[in-house]
Amino acid sequence: MSDLISPQPGIMDIALYEGGAAHVAGRTDAVKLSSNENFAGASDKAREAFARAVHSMHRYPNTDHASLRAAIGDVHKINADQIICGVGSDEIIHFLAQAYVGQGDEVVFTEHGFLMYKISTMAAGGTPVSVKERDRVTDVDAILQACNERTKLVFIANPNNPTGTMVPLAELERLALGLPAQAILVIDGAYAEYVEGYDGGAELATRLPNVFMTRTFSKIYGLGGLRVGWGYGPKAIIDVLNRIRGPFNLSTVALETAEAAVRDQDYVDRCRNDNMRLRTLLAEGLAERGVPSDTSTANFVLARFASPDEAAACDEFLKAEGLIVRRVASYGLPQCLRITVGDEPSCRRVAHVVGQFKIRGKAVV
Ligand SMILES: *Cc1c(COP(=O)(O)O)cnc(C)c1O
């Protein structure tokens, strides 16, 4: 290829995102606990809507997503005109960076923050700024110190992935109020539904002109494969993002299935309750075997080992038993493994196999 053909600066510096592993060579019975998916899948109502949508696949989808936005607005008691839907919340994150970030601009996130923040920032030509957490918890004072006149976006996942920790809304409000005037606080609520009584930052995004919230159907709704997410915030920001959104970004099938899913809040409540019980079972099972974790507010547990080597060895040991978890060295946590809360047998098995590793694994590896 000609040397004159080259991408924009920064693009080739982006490290490719690696999703959670899905297979173990030679096994068909592996349990995937590496991508924070809902082990129970989608609700029956969402499945029925998907089946019905098969009959309208030849039709172009609508471009304004009015029906899905109205459903989201009803359920969350927010204005549908201030909602934008995307191909997962990843696309909303991408729109924000494309719209607000350019060369010389900075985007702030925390040291163990979601990798897409960095990727979208670099794709837009901006400079990522990573801020230390305090014992794996977002540190609002450190973030405020890192902000300056070049800061355009601040991304906070709350609860955070992969730490599972969260900060109170009052802390996020303090952050929003302390930001430089040109910066937007983006509260990523991918796991918000797992926290009883938590609105994901919706009320802040309603009240403050510099707060935006992102949400997804990929986690508690069990629709990660369908790719639907949404954002909510000031109308002025929505108007900007809609300029760069592809008119047909969401398929007919995705729109209709997501609408049925969001209207089925009984299912969400059931999944939240199941998750709380099974998460405790998993975390306590690990702790009993000498593997601590921070109290998680999401659908995964960040298991801490004595060293990066021990975490890597335990990952291999689990894999050999058909249990796929997530190494999080790329998130700055090489001594940890992120384990998604699975069904009850999976949680018990993970704890049991980690226990076996603790007793025998060290001698083997
Ligand atoms: C999983 C996840 C998302 C959701 O991504 P989608 O594109 O909606 O599937 C967003 N933020 C965080 C922190 C996540 O862990």
Side-chain angles (χ1 to χ4, degrees):
M1 191 162 48
S2 158
D3 287 346
L4 296 175
I5 297 177
S6 64
Q8 290 293 308
I11 302 281
M12 292 312 290
D13 299 327
I14 297 174
L16 288 180
Y17 182 90
E18 279 183 52
H23 303 285
V24 179
R27 283 192 87 118
T28 52
D29 61 343
V31 181
K32 187 184 178 209
L33 304 170
S34 57
S35 296
N36 299 342
E37 295 147 339
N38 182 341
F39 65 84
S43 84
D44 286 341
K45 288 189 174 136
R47 292 171 202 239
E48 287 157 16
F50 184 95
R52 277 196 306 276
V54 162
H55 303 291
S56 52
M57 280 199 296
H58 59 301
R59 300 289 182 202
Y60 266 88
N62 63 60
T63 61
D64 62 8
H65 308 154
S67 188
L68 174 58
R69 288 188 297 105
I72 293 170
D74 280 354
V75 167
H76 291 272
K77 302 192 172 53
I78 54 178
N79 185 350
D81 290 338
Q82 290 173 245
I83 296 170
I84 180 171
C85 301
V87 179
S89 46
D90 283 0
E91 192 180 36
I92 307 294
I93 293 166
H94 210 68
F95 289 159
L96 285 161
Q98 289 293 314
Y100 289 99
V101 179
Q103 294 272 324
D105 293 335
E106 296 184 356
V107 176
V108 173
F109 44 82
T110 65
E111 62 177 319
H112 308 307
F114 189 43
L115 290 174
M116 287 311 299
Y117 308 149
K118 187 173 179 186
I119 292 175
S120 289
T121 298
M122 293 173 74
T127 304
V129 176
S130 168
V131 175
K132 286 267 178 237
E133 298 178 13
R134 205 186 306 122
D135 294 330
R136 298 170 301 282
V137 180
T138 297
D139 181 345
V140 164
D141 293 301
I143 294 169
L144 286 171
Q145 264 173 34
C147 290
N148 58 44
E149 69 285 355
R150 292 182 299 279
T151 309
K152 291 299 179 70
L153 298 173
V154 176
F155 284 106
I156 304 292
N158 202 49
N160 191 30
N161 167 25
T163 58
T165 62
M166 70 185 295
V167 293
L169 282 167
E171 277 291 274
L172 296 180
E173 178 164 7
R174 187 164 75 81
L175 174 56
L177 295 175
L179 288 182
Q182 78 290 344
I184 301 169
L185 170 62
V186 182
I187 304 174
D188 179 338
Y191 302 95
E193 292 85 357
Y194 283 107
V195 183
E196 181 126 54
Y198 173 58
D199 74 356
E203 189 275 331
L204 284 181
T206 302
R207 185 157 49 86
L208 300 178
N210 65 340
V211 176
F212 195 84
M213 172 180 78
T214 63
R215 302 289 285 262
T216 185
F217 284 91
S218 299
K219 302 289 158 54
I220 209 164
Y221 289 101
L223 294 173
L226 204 64
R227 311 304 304 131
V228 188
W230 54 280
Y232 167 75
K235 187 72 168 56
I237 297 178
I238 295 293
D239 285 344
V240 168
L241 303 186
N242 269 322
R243 315 264 154 174
I244 54 173
R245 178 177 66 80
F248 302 113
N249 62 329
L250 289 183
S251 69
T252 311
V253 180
L255 288 166
E256 292 181 17
T257 307
E259 184 177 337
V262 77
R263 292 215 181 267
D264 190 357
Q265 287 297 307
D266 288 348
Y267 185 71
V268 172
D269 292 343
R270 197 154 71 238
C271 291
R272 178 192 309 111
N273 289 331
D274 287 347
N275 179 69
M276 285 194 283
R277 180 175 64 82
L278 295 168
R279 181 177 66 202
T280 301
L281 185 81
L282 174 62
E284 287 179 354
L286 291 169
E288 280 163 18
R289 290 157 177 97
V291 177
S293 56
D294 298 313
T295 301
S296 172
T297 56
N299 69 331
F300 55 86
V301 166
L302 184 71
R304 295 202 305 276
F305 292 83
S307 67
D309 283 350
E310 193 192 28
C314 189
D315 180 41
E316 289 302 320
F317 196 93
L318 285 163
K319 207 181 296 171
E321 295 293 324
L323 294 166
I324 308 171
V325 302
R326 183 70 173 260
R327 304 265 330 254
V328 280
S330 59
Y331 284 92
L333 294 161
Q335 75 284 21
C336 297
L337 297 176
R338 192 192 68 193
I339 308 172
T340 303
V341 174
D343 61 10
E344 183 162 341
S346 306
C347 289
R348 290 192 188 283
R349 230 174 108 212
V350 167
H352 175 74
V353 172
V354 168
Q356 285 186 320
F357 165 78
K358 279 288 199 178
I359 295 163
R360 301 194 274 113
K362 277 178 204 151
V364 181
V365 291

Short mmCIF file of all heavy atoms in Angstrom, two decimals, residues 87-90 93 114 117 157 161 188 190-191 216 218-219 227-229, ligand 1:
data_model
loop_
_atom_site.label_atom_id
_atom_site.label_comp_id
_atom_site.label_asym_id
_atom_site.label_seq_id
_atom_site.Cartn_x
_atom_site.Cartn_y
_atom_site.Cartn_z
N VAL A 87 -26.35 1.28 19.01
CA VAL A 87 -25.93 -0.12 18.87
C VAL A 87 -25.08 -0.47 20.11
O VAL A 87 -23.86 -0.39 20.08
CB VAL A 87 -25.14 -0.31 17.56
CG1 VAL A 87 -24.67 -1.75 17.41
CG2 VAL A 87 -25.99 0.10 16.37
N GLY A 88 -25.78 -0.80 21.16
CA GLY A 88 -25.13 -0.96 22.46
C GLY A 88 -24.81 0.41 23.02
O GLY A 88 -24.85 1.43 22.29
N SER A 89 -24.50 0.46 24.33
CA SER A 89 -24.08 1.77 24.84
C SER A 89 -22.70 2.11 24.30
O SER A 89 -22.30 3.27 24.31
CB SER A 89 -24.14 1.84 26.37
OG SER A 89 -23.57 0.72 26.96
N ASP A 90 -21.97 1.13 23.80
CA ASP A 90 -20.69 1.40 23.13
C ASP A 90 -20.85 2.48 22.06
O ASP A 90 -20.00 3.35 21.90
CB ASP A 90 -20.13 0.14 22.45
CG ASP A 90 -19.50 -0.82 23.43
OD1 ASP A 90 -19.49 -0.52 24.65
OD2 ASP A 90 -19.03 -1.89 23.00
N ILE A 93 -21.25 5.88 23.63
CA ILE A 93 -19.93 6.35 24.09
C ILE A 93 -19.14 6.89 22.89
O ILE A 93 -18.50 7.95 22.95
CB ILE A 93 -19.17 5.20 24.78
CG1 ILE A 93 -19.88 4.81 26.09
CG2 ILE A 93 -17.70 5.55 25.04
CD1 ILE A 93 -19.42 3.48 26.69
N PHE A 114 -13.74 1.23 32.14
CA PHE A 114 -14.10 0.43 30.96
C PHE A 114 -13.20 0.81 29.76
O PHE A 114 -12.99 2.00 29.49
CB PHE A 114 -15.57 0.74 30.65
CG PHE A 114 -16.21 -0.12 29.61
CD1 PHE A 114 -16.02 -1.49 29.57
CD2 PHE A 114 -17.07 0.46 28.68
CE1 PHE A 114 -16.66 -2.27 28.62
CE2 PHE A 114 -17.72 -0.31 27.73
CZ PHE A 114 -17.50 -1.68 27.71
N TYR A 117 -13.78 3.57 26.82
CA TYR A 117 -13.59 5.03 26.96
C TYR A 117 -12.30 5.45 26.27
O TYR A 117 -12.23 6.44 25.56
CB TYR A 117 -13.53 5.44 28.44
CG TYR A 117 -14.68 4.95 29.29
CD1 TYR A 117 -14.51 4.65 30.64
CD2 TYR A 117 -15.95 4.77 28.74
CE1 TYR A 117 -15.56 4.20 31.42
CE2 TYR A 117 -17.02 4.32 29.51
CZ TYR A 117 -16.81 4.03 30.86
OH TYR A 117 -17.84 3.58 31.62
N ALA A 157 -18.12 4.75 35.19
CA ALA A 157 -19.10 3.66 35.25
C ALA A 157 -19.44 3.48 36.73
O ALA A 157 -18.56 3.35 37.56
CB ALA A 157 -18.53 2.38 34.66
N ASN A 161 -17.02 -1.41 36.15
CA ASN A 161 -16.54 -2.68 35.63
C ASN A 161 -15.05 -2.47 35.34
O ASN A 161 -14.73 -1.52 34.63
CB ASN A 161 -17.31 -3.01 34.35
CG ASN A 161 -16.69 -4.14 33.57
OD1 ASN A 161 -15.99 -4.97 34.13
ND2 ASN A 161 -16.94 -4.18 32.27
N ASP A 188 -21.98 6.06 33.25
CA ASP A 188 -22.26 4.81 32.53
C ASP A 188 -22.99 3.87 33.50
O ASP A 188 -22.40 3.37 34.45
CB ASP A 188 -20.93 4.22 32.05
CG ASP A 188 -21.09 2.89 31.31
OD1 ASP A 188 -22.12 2.21 31.49
OD2 ASP A 188 -20.15 2.53 30.56
N ALA A 190 -24.31 0.83 32.97
CA ALA A 190 -24.51 -0.51 32.38
C ALA A 190 -25.03 -1.52 33.42
O ALA A 190 -25.76 -2.45 33.07
CB ALA A 190 -23.20 -1.01 31.78
N TYR A 191 -24.66 -1.33 34.68
CA TYR A 191 -25.06 -2.28 35.74
C TYR A 191 -26.05 -1.66 36.72
O TYR A 191 -26.29 -2.22 37.79
CB TYR A 191 -23.81 -2.79 36.48
CG TYR A 191 -22.84 -3.44 35.54
CD1 TYR A 191 -21.78 -2.72 34.99
CD2 TYR A 191 -23.02 -4.76 35.13
CE1 TYR A 191 -20.91 -3.30 34.09
CE2 TYR A 191 -22.16 -5.35 34.22
CZ TYR A 191 -21.11 -4.61 33.70
OH TYR A 191 -20.26 -5.18 32.80
N THR A 216 -27.79 0.20 29.00
CA THR A 216 -27.67 -0.87 28.01
C THR A 216 -28.70 -1.97 28.23
O THR A 216 -29.20 -2.16 29.35
CB THR A 216 -26.26 -1.49 28.06
OG1 THR A 216 -26.16 -2.45 26.99
CG2 THR A 216 -26.00 -2.20 29.38
N SER A 218 -27.66 -4.93 27.34
CA SER A 218 -26.74 -6.07 27.23
C SER A 218 -26.55 -6.84 28.53
O SER A 218 -26.09 -7.97 28.51
CB SER A 218 -25.36 -5.59 26.78
OG SER A 218 -25.43 -4.98 25.52
N LYS A 219 -26.86 -6.22 29.66
CA LYS A 219 -26.53 -6.86 30.93
C LYS A 219 -27.77 -7.48 31.57
O LYS A 219 -28.10 -8.60 31.24
CB LYS A 219 -25.81 -5.85 31.84
CG LYS A 219 -24.53 -5.28 31.18
CD LYS A 219 -23.42 -6.28 31.08
CE LYS A 219 -22.36 -6.00 30.03
NZ LYS A 219 -21.69 -4.72 30.06
N ARG A 227 -27.43 -6.02 20.66
CA ARG A 227 -26.77 -4.72 20.55
C ARG A 227 -27.74 -3.55 20.61
O ARG A 227 -28.04 -2.91 19.59
CB ARG A 227 -25.93 -4.63 19.25
CG ARG A 227 -25.00 -5.79 18.98
CD ARG A 227 -24.03 -6.07 20.11
NE ARG A 227 -23.25 -4.92 20.45
CZ ARG A 227 -23.08 -4.47 21.71
NH1 ARG A 227 -23.64 -5.09 22.73
NH2 ARG A 227 -22.36 -3.41 21.93
N VAL A 228 -28.24 -3.27 21.80
CA VAL A 228 -29.07 -2.07 22.01
C VAL A 228 -28.64 -1.38 23.30
O VAL A 228 -28.54 -2.02 24.35
CB VAL A 228 -30.58 -2.39 22.10
CG1 VAL A 228 -31.39 -1.08 22.11
CG2 VAL A 228 -31.04 -3.28 20.97
N GLY A 229 -28.40 -0.09 23.21
CA GLY A 229 -28.13 0.72 24.39
C GLY A 229 -28.79 2.07 24.20
O GLY A 229 -29.37 2.35 23.14
C1 LIG B 1 -20.92 -4.11 29.30
C2 LIG B 1 -20.67 -2.66 29.51
C3 LIG B 1 -21.24 -1.72 28.70
C4 LIG B 1 -22.26 -2.13 27.68
O1 LIG B 1 -21.82 -2.23 26.44
P1 LIG B 1 -22.89 -2.48 25.28
O2 LIG B 1 -22.25 -1.84 24.12
O3 LIG B 1 -24.16 -1.78 25.68
O4 LIG B 1 -23.07 -3.95 25.15
C5 LIG B 1 -20.99 -0.38 28.91
N1 LIG B 1 -20.20 -0.01 29.93
C6 LIG B 1 -19.66 -0.89 30.76
C7 LIG B 1 -18.85 -0.41 31.91
C8 LIG B 1 -19.87 -2.25 30.57
O5 LIG B 1 -19.30 -3.14 31.39
#
